[in-house]
Amino acid sequence: MGRRHLFMQTVALLTVLSGTLATCTSQVLAKENALKETYVNRKKPLKGGTLKVAYPSNTSFKGNFITEISTDGETDNLSYIGQPGLFRQDRDGKLKKGGLADVSFDKENKTVLVTISPKARWSDGQPVTAKDLAFVYEVIANKDSGSVYYNEDIGSIVGMEQYHNGQADQISGLQIKDDKHLLIHYKEMTPAMEYAGSGYLWNDALPYHYLKDIPMSKLAASEQARHPLSYGPYAIKKVVQGETIEWVPNKYYPKKPKLDRVVEEVVPDAQIAEAMRAHKYDMVLDEGEATYAKTRSLDHYVTLGALRHGFNYMGFRVGKQGPDGKSVMDKKLVTNDRSLRLALAYAMNTEEVTKRYGHGLRKWANSMVSPAYGAYHDSKVKPYYHNLKKANALLDKAGFKRGKDGYRSKPNGKKLTLHVLAHDAGKGYEAIIKNYMQLWKKVGVRTELVNGRMMEFNNYNALLESNSEKYDIWFGSWLLSSEPSVAATAAYSPSSSFNHGHFVTKENTELLRSLNSQKAFDTKYRIAQMHKWQAYMQKEAYVVPLSYTYGLTVVGKNVKGVTLDPSKQLTYWENVCLTK
C-alpha cells in the first residue's frame, strides 16, 4: 500500500498500516514469522455485498479527510480506500507508470512533469485536473492552513519559499500546462523524487472546485473536510464521527469496484479478539501484536504482514521552536548532556521488552533506519545493550552525584527530575514505560509522567506539536514512507514541524543535505551517507531506537483480492470482493 504522507506519528504497539515490503530483507523477516503478503482465495467471487472492516484502536478518528492539514493516523488509514494516492510504485517504492497520474523527469532542466490520466475523476464526476495537484502544494505551503508538512523538501520548488512567507500570491514553480499536465520547477533535482513517498513530489490531489471558496484558515474545520470527494475506488456515504465510515463505489473510478458497500468501524483493543472469534468482521486493519497472539490460530482468518519502514523510539527534548518555526538547541537543558542520554539508553532493557511483548512481531532496533530499507539499513551499528554498570559510570563521570535518597542531582547541584511523555496504548504499554522508569530509578535518575499518567493519544499528539516545555523525554512511533532518506530528513531537519526534540547540529544538518545532494544520485554514496547518519545518531543518542514492527492486516477466508505488495496495483481496494 502506497503512502500519501511522508510519515506520521502513530500509536506505539498499535501503529498504523505501512503496507510496503520494500526489499528482500523484509521478505526474509516475514518468512521467519510465517507471514505472507498476499492471500490467494481461489473461490468464485460473489457479486456486490457489504465488507465489514474493523480498525482496532482506543482512539477515535478525528475525521478531517484533508491529509495535508491532518496528523491523525486513524483518519488517514481509514480514508485510504477513497484516497489511495495517484502514482503507481514498484516493490522498492519507486515510481512507475500506470497510475491515475504518471511522472517524468528532466534532470537537465530541473523539472518534473505530472501527467494526469484522462480517466481520473472525482466522485462527483468532475475530472482530476492539474489545478487539483497544484492546490495540494498551496495548502501545505500556506501558513493559514495550519499544515505541519511544509519543510525544506517542498521548499525546493521554485517560488515556494516566497509563497510560504507571504511574498507572493502564487507559486511560480508550479506551471499548469493544461488541465492534465503540471510542470514543477525545482531549484535542484534529488534522488528522493524517484519515490512515491518523497516530500518533494506529493502523491495526492485536492478537489479545487470543491474547496476553492473556503478560506485557508477555515479549511480544517470545514464541512468539506469531513465529507470529502474521492478519486479512489470508493466514496464516503456516511460518517459517524470517531466511530464508523460507510463507503460506496465511486462510479467514476476507471475500474468498477466489486463491492456494494464497505463499512469501517473503530473497535476498542480489548474487544477486537472476541469480535474476531465471532467472525463479526471480514477484515481487520492494523491488528495489534497482543491480538495476533490471541487470534493467530483462528481458522476463518489469514494474517498478512509486512515489516514497517518506521520504528518505535524514545526521544529527548533538547531545545525549542524559534520564532521562525525552526528548531533551536537550548544548551541550558540538562538533556543536552550526552552522558545523561547515553546512561538512560543503556539502563533500558529494550531487548528483553522486545522479546517479551513483541509476540515474534518485533525486532530489537539497532539504528534509526528499519531493515525494510534494505541496504540503507546499517546492521553493523550496535544497539544500546542493557548495562546498569555502564549507565552508572557515565553519570558518575559527568558529575551527576547521588544524594542520600539515592537520586542524583544535576552537575550544578540542583535537583534532577525528568518528565516523561507517553500515550495510553493499553496496560501492556504502560507496564513497559513504568519498567523503564524503574530502571532509571536504579541508576539514580528521578522521572515522572507528565500530568502523572499516560496520556490519551490525541492530547499527547497535541502536546508534542505545541512547542511545550512540559516534557524532557517522550516515547513515540513513526510510520515512514518507502523513500529511504525520509527516515532521516522527515523529523530531524531544522525546519521540520515533527522535530519534537528540537535537535539541531551542524554535523546532522550536513549529513541530511548530503542524502539528497547531486552526489546522492550515486546509490553507493547515498547508502554510505545513510550509514554515517545512523552511526552519528547512535553516538549522540538524541533519539533512542527501540524496535521495528510489522504491519498486520487480517483477511477473512471469505475475502478475495488483498495483497500488501504495492507493485501489483494502485490499491488493492479496486480488486477486493467477497466469496462464499
Side-chain angles (χ1 to χ4, degrees):
M1 185 186 292
R3 299 304 315 160
R4 290 163 288 141
H5 274 162
L6 284 170
F7 63 103
M8 64 182 70
Q9 187 88 258
T10 62
V11 181
L13 311 187
L14 302 166
T15 47
V16 293
L17 197 71
S18 74
T20 302
L21 264 171
T23 64
C24 59
T25 307
S26 302
Q27 295 171 47
V28 170
L29 288 168
K31 188 175 180 181
E32 291 173 358
N33 290 285
L35 293 173
K36 297 179 180 180
E37 59 179 349
T38 301
Y39 173 52
V40 179
N41 180 349
R42 303 190 186 282
K43 297 175 186 175
K44 185 178 179 180
L46 300 175
K47 185 177 180 181
T50 297
L51 185 80
K52 297 178 181 178
V53 181
Y55 185 83
S57 179
N58 293 329
T59 301
S60 300
F61 66 87
K62 292 183 178 179
N64 176 359
F65 293 94
I66 301 178
T67 61
E68 288 73 18
I69 52 175
S70 170
T71 57
D72 178 25
E74 279 75 15
T75 302
D76 187 64
N77 281 276
L78 291 168
S79 67
Y80 181 80
I81 182 173
Q83 300 164 215
L86 301 168
F87 308 136
R88 286 285 305 274
Q89 58 181 293
D90 64 16
R91 286 184 65 83
D92 292 328
K94 285 193 171 183
L95 295 165
K96 71 175 187 179
K97 302 293 184 183
L100 292 175
D102 290 332
V103 178
S104 57
F105 299 93
D106 185 339
K107 285 179 65 176
E108 185 177 347
N109 291 308
K110 301 178 183 178
T111 60
V112 172
L113 180 64
V114 183
T115 302
I116 304 166
S117 168
K119 296 181 180 180
R121 288 185 175 273
W122 295 102
S123 51
D124 66 351
Q126 291 295 311
V128 177
T129 69
K131 181 59 181 177
D132 297 333
L133 272 64
F135 192 50
V136 168
Y137 297 92
E138 292 172 7
V139 169
I140 294 171
N142 193 305
K143 291 182 178 180
D144 290 340
S145 74
S147 175
V148 296
Y149 295 104
Y150 184 87
N151 59 17
E152 293 172 356
D153 294 352
I154 197 170
S156 67
I157 295 174
V158 173
M160 183 66 76
E161 192 173 347
Q162 289 82 355
Y163 176 82
H164 179 64
N165 292 328
Q167 298 168 343
D169 295 329
Q170 296 181 326
I171 302 167
S172 60
L174 299 179
Q175 184 181 354
I176 297 175
K177 305 286 286 184
D178 55 42
D179 279 352
K180 293 295 180 181
H181 294 89
L182 177 66
L183 187 67
I184 307 176
H185 298 260
Y186 291 90
K187 298 171 186 175
E188 294 291 343
M189 301 294 280
T190 74
M193 294 175 182
E194 299 172 357
Y195 291 80
S198 84
Y200 296 88
L201 184 63
W202 272 69
N203 187 12
D204 201 13
L206 290 173
Y208 180 72
H209 69 282
Y210 188 61
L211 303 172
K212 64 180 180 180
D213 294 328
I214 306 169
M216 287 284 185
S217 61
K218 296 182 179 180
L219 199 55
S222 68
E223 181 68 16
Q224 289 88 331
R226 276 148 182 78
H227 293 87
L229 299 179
S230 299
Y231 56 78
Y234 292 87
I236 288 177
K237 180 181 180 180
K238 181 181 178 182
V239 176
V240 177
Q241 184 63 36
E243 298 179 13
T244 62
I245 307 174
E246 181 181 344
W247 300 83
V248 293
N250 174 5
K251 61 183 179 181
Y252 300 102
Y253 191 70
K255 187 175 181 179
K256 184 180 179 180
K258 299 180 179 181
L259 297 161
D260 292 329
R261 289 195 315 157
V262 177
V263 179
E264 296 179 310
E265 182 179 351
V266 175
V267 182
D269 296 311
Q271 299 175 20
I272 190 64
E274 188 60 36
M276 290 175 66
R277 292 188 188 101
H279 204 174
K280 185 176 179 181
Y281 300 99
D282 304 302
M283 286 181 64
V284 180
L285 303 180
D286 189 32
E287 182 186 37
E289 295 156 353
T291 303
Y292 172 77
K294 296 175 184 177
T295 61
R296 61 187 298 179
S297 61
L298 292 179
D299 184 58
H300 46 274
Y301 287 112
V302 175
T303 301
L304 306 181
L307 186 67
R308 293 184 172 110
H309 287 89
F311 66 107
N312 298 322
Y313 68 93
M314 178 184 76
F316 292 91
R317 186 179 64 83
V318 292
K320 59 185 179 181
Q321 192 176 66
D324 61 354
K326 293 184 178 181
S327 289
V328 181
M329 298 274 275
D330 184 350
K331 293 182 180 180
K332 295 179 182 179
L333 294 178
V334 70
T335 46
N336 262 306
D337 190 307
R338 186 174 69 168
S339 293
L340 174 63
R341 298 194 302 270
L342 285 169
L344 296 184
Y346 282 115
M348 298 166 74
N349 59 342
T350 311
E351 182 181 21
E352 180 186 349
V353 166
T354 301
K355 290 179 179 178
R356 181 174 178 181
Y357 289 91
H359 302 287
L361 296 170
R362 258 192 267 172
K363 180 179 174 62
W364 186 26
N366 71 306
S367 87
M368 292 172 61
V369 177
S370 168
Y373 289 107
Y376 289 93
H377 167 79
D378 189 354
S379 61
K380 295 179 181 179
V381 173
K382 292 182 178 180
Y384 301 108
Y385 291 91
H386 179 49
N387 191 332
L388 292 177
K389 184 177 180 180
K390 185 170 186 175
N392 275 311
L394 283 163
L395 293 168
D396 290 341
K397 189 175 180 179
F400 291 88
K401 295 181 180 180
R402 280 187 186 267
K404 292 180 180 179
D405 60 358
Y407 287 111
R408 296 178 184 270
S409 59
K410 298 178 184 178
N412 62 9
K414 294 183 178 180
K415 180 180 178 180
L416 173 63
T417 301
L418 298 177
H419 295 91
V420 180
L421 176 64
H423 60 79
D424 185 4
K427 291 181 180 180
Y429 188 53
E430 184 173 357
I432 291 172
I433 301 302
K434 289 186 175 179
N435 155 73
Y436 291 143
M437 293 173 71
Q438 282 297 315
L439 290 171
W440 294 333
K441 182 180 179 180
K442 284 187 176 182
V443 296
V445 178
R446 181 189 285 107
T447 59
E448 298 175 355
L449 286 171
V450 174
N451 296 337
R453 64 183 185 277
M454 305 288 281
M455 194 171 290
E456 189 274 332
F457 183 67
N458 288 326
N459 294 332
Y460 155 93
N461 233 6
L463 189 63
L464 279 179
E465 295 169 6
S466 68
N467 200 24
S468 172
E469 297 181 2
K470 288 185 176 181
Y471 64 92
D472 304 293
I473 298 169
W474 83 100
F475 287 84
S477 182
W478 286 127
L479 171 64
L480 304 169
S481 79
S482 55
E483 196 288 293
S485 71
V486 165
T489 60
Y492 306 109
S493 66
S495 63
S496 172
S497 298
F498 291 88
N499 189 348
H500 301 311
H502 307 296
F503 148 64
V504 181
T505 66
K506 182 180 178 181
E507 186 172 353
N508 183 62
T509 300
E510 288 176 352
L511 281 168
L512 296 186
R513 287 174 178 166
S514 75
L515 300 177
N516 283 300
S517 64
Q518 296 307 295
K519 283 185 178 180
F521 279 102
D522 180 341
T523 302
K524 288 183 179 179
Y525 170 83
R526 199 175 195 226
I527 288 172
Q529 292 304 104
M530 281 289 286
H531 287 191
K532 285 182 181 179
W533 180 76
Q534 290 167 75
Y536 171 73
M537 293 298 284
Q538 203 73 349
K539 180 187 74 172
E540 296 295 332
Y542 289 103
V543 177
V544 177
L546 303 176
S547 61
Y548 312 121
T549 61
Y550 285 85
L552 304 179
T553 298
V554 181
V555 183
K557 290 185 178 179
N558 62 325
V559 178
K560 187 172 185 173
V562 179
T563 178
L564 302 184
D565 181 354
S567 67
K568 297 296 185 182
Q569 68 280 299
L570 179 67
T571 169
Y572 66 68
W573 285 110
E574 64 187 27
N575 296 315
V576 172
C577 61
L578 291 166
T579 68
K580 290 184 178 180

